[in-house]
Amino acid sequence: MSDAFDYFRAYAVRALCKARSMPKGRMKHLQLVVGRIYNLLKKEAAYGPNTQHLEDFRAAQRLERSLDSRPNDPADRARFAATNPNRAEQEVR
């Protein structure tokens, strides 16, 4: 992976642009964290070739994919909350 710096930079830019377009909240914060992780990996890759950061990169990708699969629509959140009767009862109060 000779051009890891460029790859990590592209992932960081994409993640941070995606975070800027999101509304305020927890999901935006987590997307910013993903972008920061990519930036740290980019800086680490700039110092020299290192395959140890690949595990961190894969973990950041898994986190970003999990953010994409979470429901952002309040109607979806209510539907998921309704599957747990105790939680739905707490939200109604």
Side-chain angles (χ1 to χ4, degrees):
M1 213 171 172
S2 62
D3 51 353
F5 175 84
D6 296 325
Y7 285 121
F8 291 143
R9 183 178 182 276
Y11 275 101
V13 168
R14 183 182 52 83
L16 293 173
C17 287
K18 185 176 178 181
R20 286 186 192 119
S21 68
M22 296 173 84
K24 285 185 179 182
R26 183 175 192 309
M27 300 304 285
K28 180 174 185 163
H29 174 73
L30 290 174
Q31 187 67 37
L32 286 169
V33 168
V34 169
R36 289 184 193 130
I37 290 170
Y38 288 138
N39 268 330
L40 289 173
L41 291 171
K42 173 189 76 170
K43 289 177 184 179
E44 186 178 306
Y47 289 116
N50 185 359
T51 58
Q52 295 174 356
H53 57 264
L54 289 177
E55 212 172 294
D56 298 330
F57 173 69
R58 290 183 184 119
Q61 280 189 320
R62 281 193 300 271
L63 173 62
E64 192 170 14
R65 272 187 253 126
S66 73
L67 293 176
D68 290 339
S69 67
R70 289 187 179 200
N72 289 330
D73 187 21
D76 287 340
R77 288 185 190 153
R79 183 184 56 177
F80 286 118
T83 60
N84 185 353
N86 295 334
R87 186 167 182 202
E89 185 178 312
Q90 290 173 351
E91 289 181 7
V92 171
R93 291 182 196 172

